[in-house]
Amino acid sequence: MILHAVFREGRDANLPCLVWLHGFLGCQQEWQPLSDNFTDWPQLHIDLPGHGKSADISVENFQHVDELLRKTLVSYNILKYWLIGYSLGGRVGIYHACQGENAGLQGLIVEGSHPGLADENTRAERQSSDRRWAQRLRTAPLKDVLADWYQQPVFHSLNDEQRRELIALRSQNNALSLAAMLEATSLGNQPNLQAALQQLPQPFYYICGEWDDKFRAVAQSSGQTPHLITAAGHNAHRENPAAFSACLLNLLRKPGEETP
């Protein structure tokens, strides 16, 4: 079994493939508006388990997600790649990069993602919170759950119109599949990978919106200096795609990296 994905050839086949990993509630199409800015690179847009055309794929934990990701890369014969992940996708990317079996991984770029909780009480609280959200997803109308989801403090930068757009877009998901994925990949179940991240042999970059106070603090507490996207909150690539793309292009073309 592999994850559903959409492959896009690049103008330079010698460049590593950009593997895009969306956040919770999203799908591979989330990154498509940015694709035209990266036409030199081959690209693979993946639907994570429980989402998009991978909605029928269920997983037990991060290890299971990583196994599916690795099989998917092999099936597309991707031998050199960058992982680019937002939120949940970034956490999947962090887990993958820290496993130590990544000869083809050229680098990791995450947006608004968490490397893992160190405190056991905080982990237990997050597990409990995610179980409550999952129960609501299983029992309440999806639009009602999403309306409350986007009132969480991390989404404070959204205006009412942006919230309505996201609720309409995310309402196309399968609520039961989302509930299962939320519990399986709860931050409370994720290993604490802060120390492992600091020892990665590959380049690692952290991006977040300038208004995303929570994840600016997460990055800094993890020893990272975040690359800030102006006029954007938690979902920076959606709120300011031009600035996000420019930042990403700059990181991919840093000295010592392959350039088109």
Side-chain angles (χ1 to χ4, degrees):
M1 181 184 296
I2 64 171
L3 299 169
H4 174 264
V6 175
F7 181 76
R8 180 171 178 173
E9 292 186 2
R11 286 196 289 255
D12 188 344
N14 293 316
L15 288 175
C17 185
L18 305 183
V19 179
W20 303 87
L21 304 172
H22 61 80
F24 183 65
L25 300 173
C27 68
Q28 59 84 16
Q29 293 177 329
E30 296 290 308
W31 295 109
Q32 293 292 346
L34 279 66
S35 284
D36 288 344
N37 298 314
F38 301 90
T39 52
D40 288 318
W41 287 265
Q43 300 179 56
L44 187 70
H45 297 252
I46 291 179
D47 278 332
L48 291 174
H51 296 77
K53 293 185 178 179
S54 296
D56 292 338
I57 298 176
S58 61
V59 292
E60 298 177 2
N61 48 37
F62 278 91
Q63 180 181 351
H64 194 181
V65 178
D66 189 48
E67 290 171 358
L68 290 171
L69 173 59
R70 291 175 187 275
K71 289 177 181 177
T72 305
L73 295 176
V74 169
S75 73
Y76 283 89
N77 196 33
I78 293 174
L79 304 179
K80 295 192 303 179
Y81 57 98
W82 279 79
L83 288 181
I84 304 167
Y86 162 63
S87 195
L88 170 61
R91 295 196 286 122
V92 170
I94 289 170
Y95 183 91
H96 176 92
C98 292
Q99 297 314 297
E101 302 172 0
N102 302 305
L105 181 63
Q106 306 299 296
L108 170 67
I109 300 174
V110 303
E111 172 195 356
S113 293
H114 206 300
L117 300 170
D119 180 73
E120 288 301 320
N121 289 332
T122 306
R123 291 169 66 87
E125 290 172 2
R126 181 55 181 262
Q127 289 171 352
S128 178
S129 174
D130 285 341
R131 281 196 296 268
R132 289 194 296 271
W133 279 112
Q135 183 61 17
R136 286 202 62 196
L137 284 165
R138 294 187 177 102
T139 58
L142 181 54
K143 286 188 177 181
D144 292 349
V145 180
L146 294 174
D148 289 340
W149 181 269
Y150 286 112
Q151 291 295 333
Q152 294 182 95
V154 73
F155 299 113
H156 71 89
S157 66
L158 298 176
N159 59 39
D160 290 342
E161 181 180 354
Q162 289 171 319
R163 285 191 175 89
R164 285 194 296 269
E165 290 175 353
L166 281 169
I167 291 168
L169 181 64
R170 306 310 194 202
S171 294
Q172 301 171 26
N173 280 295
N174 181 310
L176 297 182
S177 297
L178 292 176
M181 183 62 172
L182 180 60
E183 288 187 315
T185 58
S186 168
L187 180 59
N189 294 331
Q190 178 183 320
N192 179 14
L193 298 171
Q194 292 191 30
L197 267 180
Q198 294 173 355
Q199 299 177 22
L200 280 185
Q202 300 92 353
F204 169 55
Y205 304 115
Y206 196 109
I207 299 176
C208 65
E210 67 169 329
W211 299 332
D212 190 355
D213 297 335
K214 176 180 178 178
F215 282 93
R216 288 182 66 170
V218 166
Q220 291 163 352
S221 68
S222 303
Q224 305 298 323
T225 301
H227 298 265
L228 300 181
I229 306 302
T230 59
H234 183 54
N235 196 334
H237 71 270
R238 180 180 175 88
E239 295 175 42
N240 194 344
F244 185 91
S245 295
C247 177
L248 199 53
L249 284 166
N250 182 58
L251 295 177
L252 291 169
R253 291 171 172 165
K254 274 185 173 291
E257 304 300 331
E258 296 180 78
T259 58

